Amino acid sequence: METSSSYLSFVIEHLQQFFSYTAFANITIGHVIMIAIGLFFIFLAITKEYEPLLLVPIGFGILIGNIPFKPGFQIGVYETGSVFNYLYFGVLQGVYPPLIFLGIGAMTDFSALISNPKLLLIGAAAQLGIFGAYAIALMLGFSPTEAGAIGIIGGADGPTAIFLSSKLAPDLLGAIAISAYSYMALVPVIQPPIMRLLTTDKERVIRMKPPRAVSKNEKIMFPIIGLLLTTFIVPSALSLLGMLFFGNLLKESTVTKRLADTAKGPLIDIVTILIGLTVGASTQATTFLTYKSVGIFVLGAFSFVIATFGGVMFVKIINLFLKEGNKMNPLIGNAGVSAVPDSARVSQFVGLEYDKTNHLLMHAMGPNVAGVIGSAVAAGILLGFLS
Amino acid sequence: MRSIRILFSLSFLAAFCLIAMPRAAAQSGNDIRINEILVINDSNYIDDFGQRNAWIELFNTAYNKVDVGGMYLTNDPNNPTKYRIPKGDPITSIPARNYLIFFADNHTTRGILHLNFDLKDSDYLALYDMNGRTLIDEVRFPKLEVDKSYGRVTDGGSEWEVLHKTTPKSNNFTGEPRNPGLEFKEFDPFGIGMALIAMTVVFLALILLYLVFKNTRSFYGIKFSDLFKQKAVSGVKVEAQPDLTGEVNAAIALSLYLFRNELHDNEATVLTIKKVARTYSPWSSKIYGLRNFHK
């Protein structure tokens, strides 16, 4: 009798021990909230098709990162030796973002920019969002390094945001990455009202000259000269700009088609999966759900608004100095943020609302890819000043 | 004229690279610096044997590990190879931005960090590369008081002084380290300065790109291969084609696409027959197949 009761207590004790390992025993309200956010991301990606290539991995990563568990079994992304910790290394050390830039370079056509170099300046103006958000973050009490990492959300460039925050404010990396990608997905929602607010009916129907044909030599020289000029000024952006221009040279040289195809195909897909999943998994409720994260989300929205404002207003100002016939449509100003090609698509759609035959997509791609360069340069400046 | 322009542009690029080159530093044995010296050790740093002796601190200025094994330390300008630091010992690898202490006690039996000379009557110390000829670093030091060290004001820096505090295996600069983030917070609490500086730099970088691509359109249009070809002698003057706009190019591309598209032999489930030309090759010829026996 005594043996059977001790056996029973042994079984119960181990059942209790097993229960203590389960997610049910370790769940908190924070985990529930984060799982709900992850599900919402997946919902947005699948049903609304908002940036599905990013939001599906991130959303699922949030689910993975917020399965409650008892620490000490090398499970979580922050536990040394766990699989997710190994994968997260690429985020923490800034390995993945340059690889993504390599792919972006290999799939980007800079022709629009080369044919009309003025558009480069719009890409610079839209970086106002970064420094506007930086200033507001400082006022809200964030440290300069944190403010720099938060400000880069305004560049609308996920890899750059991850790269910079991993260097300047690793603690905020999850919140910054989620915020950057969320707002990038919401570009079609955030930008059009600001664009309409800042432009007149007359400005919205400005027709721009069709871009001229760009020679192969020009396309080949662009990444080489682009790299030399930008990185000599901001060497701290070398890993991003170096990979971006290298990827573009692979594409434009036309003799390394296989390498370009790999960079813009399997490689960028693999890295996107890894970066999305691990960034999502890094949003463990215990580290993610803080007032700072809320602040980052609010500032992220501000930075997108300021960036759009900067781009559109810059075109309007430039137009004051341009002759009739050479003027630019201010609706391409929003594309100075580097959410490629979403913000250029927004220019196209908003432009078509006012003139069904005025296609702005090609013109908007210029500032759009200039924004990628601009935000990488801005990240390099922040890194150089603040680290 | 065109060739001159090309030459000018290339020489500009080369000059640009040359100007920048001297600033680039390789990460090698050349990055090691003699960083601090203490001659009379009364109540200072103790070695592994519990002894107090003169010590020499080396500093690795590089951002990677550097092995000083095989290099030479000397206190005699006429004998650069006085003490060879043994190779192959992990202790001689100095991690990035880190230190290694040698004891100038003339007791080589105490390990490889103990030199075969002391600094009692010396005012000179030098570090030579593995070939024993290339000087990496040298210093002449004043007569030092007891427990006073002579070192660089900042690690690896160029300025030397008798240090207020001896700092074996740690930063020579003992003040509050510079924190760029806090400096920005102190002098630029609202981020306006940062915004101005950074936007200026972003604009500068992209304006440079703009200027290059605005003015060198003709440069890119050059077909470099044509420059090296012999000019054909012809009496017919051919007028240069004006640049085609993107729209014209698009129209040409579309018509080519449509033309090529019509060449296919299967459209709207109507099967058509199309003769396929096959060029003859003995490798694919059925006449010479292995299954055909000679008759």
Side-chain angles (χ1 to χ4, degrees):
Chain A
M1 185 65 188
E2 199 175 297
T3 315
S4 63
S5 73
S6 66
Y7 181 76
L8 193 65
S9 65
F10 168 81
V11 170
I12 290 170
E13 189 186 321
H14 279 80
L15 275 174
Q16 280 175 338
Q17 193 182 1
F18 173 74
F19 180 74
S20 74
Y21 293 149
T22 66
F24 296 107
N26 294 290
I27 198 160
T28 63
I29 186 71
H31 289 111
V32 177
I33 293 170
M34 288 310 298
I35 287 172
I37 292 173
L39 291 172
F40 180 64
F41 273 35
I42 294 170
F43 166 79
L44 279 183
I46 294 173
T47 59
K48 302 282 179 188
E49 292 195 24
Y50 283 166
E51 294 271 354
L53 298 181
L54 294 168
L55 288 191
V56 168
I58 290 178
F60 206 80
I62 294 174
L63 298 187
I64 287 174
N66 285 284
I67 301 296
F69 59 85
K70 197 171 182 177
F73 293 93
Q74 296 186 333
I75 299 168
V77 74
Y78 294 116
E79 287 189 309
T80 306
S82 76
V83 172
F84 289 115
N85 187 260
Y86 277 109
L87 298 178
Y88 191 53
F89 177 84
V91 175
L92 271 183
Q93 296 301 317
V95 177
Y96 297 147
L99 291 175
I100 289 196
F101 261 59
L102 178 73
I104 292 172
M107 60 173 77
T108 302
D109 185 356
F110 285 102
S111 301
L113 203 57
I114 300 167
S115 68
N116 188 2
K118 274 198 298 282
L119 302 175
L120 270 164
L121 303 179
I122 305 174
Q127 306 314 316
L128 190 67
I130 294 175
F131 302 104
Y134 169 82
I136 298 171
L138 279 181
M139 286 176 207
L140 290 178
F142 285 95
S143 72
T145 47
E146 288 174 341
I150 294 166
I152 202 69
I153 298 171
D157 194 335
T160 308
I162 290 171
F163 179 79
L164 193 69
S165 51
S166 72
K167 306 281 179 194
L168 291 183
D171 295 347
L172 306 180
L173 195 152
I176 288 170
I178 297 287
S179 175
Y181 280 119
S182 309
Y183 290 124
M184 277 166 67
L186 293 174
V187 155
V189 180
I190 297 171
Q191 288 194 323
I194 304 160
M195 292 158 69
R196 291 190 192 104
L197 186 73
L198 297 175
T199 51
T200 61
D201 284 340
K202 195 180 162 193
E203 286 170 331
R204 288 176 207 139
V205 292
I206 291 176
R207 277 177 182 267
M208 294 173 67
K209 276 185 183 171
R212 70 173 170 86
V214 174
S215 72
K216 189 184 167 190
N217 278 347
E218 284 177 278
K219 287 185 181 178
I220 290 173
M221 291 305 283
F222 182 80
I224 297 170
I225 292 179
L227 173 78
L228 292 175
L229 285 182
T230 53
T231 54
F232 265 77
I233 294 171
V234 195
S236 41
L238 183 61
S239 43
L240 293 174
L241 289 171
M243 294 299 250
L244 177 79
F245 287 125
F246 173 56
N248 191 246
L249 184 63
L250 291 180
K251 171 181 180 279
E252 300 299 353
S253 67
T254 66
V255 291
T256 49
K257 191 175 175 302
R258 273 172 53 194
L259 302 186
D261 287 345
T262 304
K264 72 181 178 190
L267 181 66
I268 198 168
D269 289 347
I270 290 168
V271 182
T272 303
I273 290 169
L274 293 177
I275 204 169
L277 198 71
T278 49
V279 161
S282 72
T283 61
Q284 276 184 11
T286 44
T287 57
F288 188 78
L289 281 180
T290 60
Y291 287 115
K292 273 190 176 177
S293 299
V294 178
I296 288 166
F297 267 84
V298 174
L299 283 168
F302 263 115
S303 65
F304 265 63
V305 171
I306 300 167
T308 310
F309 172 85
V312 174
M313 288 309 290
F314 182 77
V315 178
K316 284 171 68 103
I317 293 166
I318 285 281
N319 274 348
L320 296 175
F321 303 98
L322 294 176
K323 288 177 195 163
E324 203 61 47
N326 283 337
K327 288 192 188 298
M328 294 188 280
N329 192 318
L331 290 180
I332 65 167
N334 72 299
V337 302
S338 56
V340 182
D342 300 40
S343 50
R345 238 185 269 153
V346 169
S347 304
Q348 164 82 352
F349 290 138
V350 177
L352 286 178
E353 281 176 21
Y354 297 93
D355 182 352
K356 293 266 183 262
T357 57
N358 193 6
H359 295 275
L360 294 173
L361 187 65
M362 272 313 287
H363 303 290
M365 279 308 289
N368 211 184
V369 291
V372 177
I373 302 171
S375 61
V377 171
I381 296 165
L382 287 169
L383 195 61
F385 280 156
L386 299 174
S387 64
Chain B
M1 184 63 194
R2 193 182 260 185
S3 308
I4 291 168
R5 236 169 31 205
I6 295 165
L7 275 173
F8 177 75
S9 304
L10 288 175
S11 49
F12 173 75
L13 264 180
F16 190 47
C17 296
L18 278 173
I19 290 164
M21 202 176 283
R23 293 176 177 277
Q27 297 187 334
S28 64
N30 293 327
D31 296 310
I32 302 297
R33 293 285 173 275
I34 298 166
N35 205 44
E36 192 177 351
I37 302 158
L38 185 133
V39 178
I40 308 168
N41 187 348
D42 183 57
S43 58
N44 205 269
Y45 192 64
I46 302 172
D47 66 16
D48 294 343
F49 293 83
Q51 304 293 315
R52 290 191 170 91
N53 287 301
W55 50 260
I56 297 156
E57 182 189 72
L58 298 186
F59 175 64
N60 176 9
T61 60
Y63 288 83
N64 64 335
K65 194 190 282 184
V66 174
D67 192 352
V68 293
M71 292 182 183
Y72 295 90
L73 274 167
T74 182
N75 64 343
D76 182 357
N78 299 317
N79 182 10
T81 57
K82 193 164 187 178
Y83 180 75
R84 183 177 184 267
I85 303 167
K87 280 182 93 169
D89 195 311
I91 205 169
T92 58
S93 278
I94 310 179
R97 310 290 296 173
N98 220 312
Y99 313 87
L100 184 63
I101 297 279
F102 285 90
F103 296 96
D105 56 359
N106 204 3
H107 277 296
T108 51
T109 51
R110 290 181 178 171
I112 63 168
L113 299 181
H114 293 259
L115 309 178
N116 59 356
F117 59 84
D118 56 42
L119 301 175
K120 277 175 199 162
D121 302 315
S122 305
D123 66 345
Y124 175 80
L125 188 70
L127 176 71
Y128 278 84
D129 205 354
M130 291 183 201
N131 58 19
R133 291 188 300 276
T134 311
L135 179 69
I136 292 176
D137 194 18
E138 64 177 347
V139 58
R140 286 205 177 271
F141 49 91
K143 198 155 183 65
L144 293 168
E145 293 174 22
V146 175
D147 289 334
K148 284 283 182 187
S149 68
Y150 187 64
R152 294 176 189 271
V153 177
T154 55
D155 289 339
S158 56
E159 205 179 324
W160 287 77
E161 67 175 20
V162 177
L163 300 176
H164 300 298
K165 295 176 185 174
T166 57
T167 57
K169 281 188 165 179
S170 61
N171 278 344
N172 286 6
F173 179 71
T174 50
E176 191 62 36
R178 192 173 159 266
N179 185 330
L182 289 178
E183 278 177 15
F184 264 95
K185 193 170 188 180
E186 189 184 338
F187 294 104
D188 184 31
F190 302 112
I192 295 164
M194 166 67 93
L196 283 175
I197 298 168
M199 284 302 284
T200 308
V201 178
V202 173
F203 264 102
L204 180 71
L206 295 184
I207 282 173
L208 267 176
L209 265 180
Y210 161 67
L211 291 175
V212 168
F213 281 89
K214 187 188 169 207
N215 295 317
T216 53
R217 178 181 164 188
S218 54
F219 172 78
Y220 293 119
I222 298 166
K223 285 188 178 171
F224 289 94
S225 53
D226 291 353
L227 292 174
F228 303 102
K229 279 182 190 167
Q230 277 198 323
K231 282 179 185 168
V233 182
S234 164
V236 185
K237 197 177 177 183
V238 182
E239 279 194 19
Q241 287 285 324
D243 272 333
L244 301 175
T245 64
E247 282 171 341
V248 174
N249 277 337
I252 295 168
L254 180 66
S255 56
L256 279 171
Y257 173 77
L258 290 173
F259 172 73
R260 288 177 64 87
N261 227 21
E262 282 167 9
L263 292 180
H264 66 74
D265 57 348
N266 185 2
E267 188 170 355
T269 69
V270 179
L271 194 65
T272 58
I273 297 170
K274 185 182 171 191
K275 188 179 178 185
V276 178
R278 279 195 186 142
T279 48
Y280 170 80
S281 160
W283 298 103
S284 59
S285 170
K286 288 183 180 170
I287 303 169
Y288 301 107
L290 284 174
R291 282 178 293 179
N292 292 354
F293 295 106
H294 292 288
K295 290 179 182 173

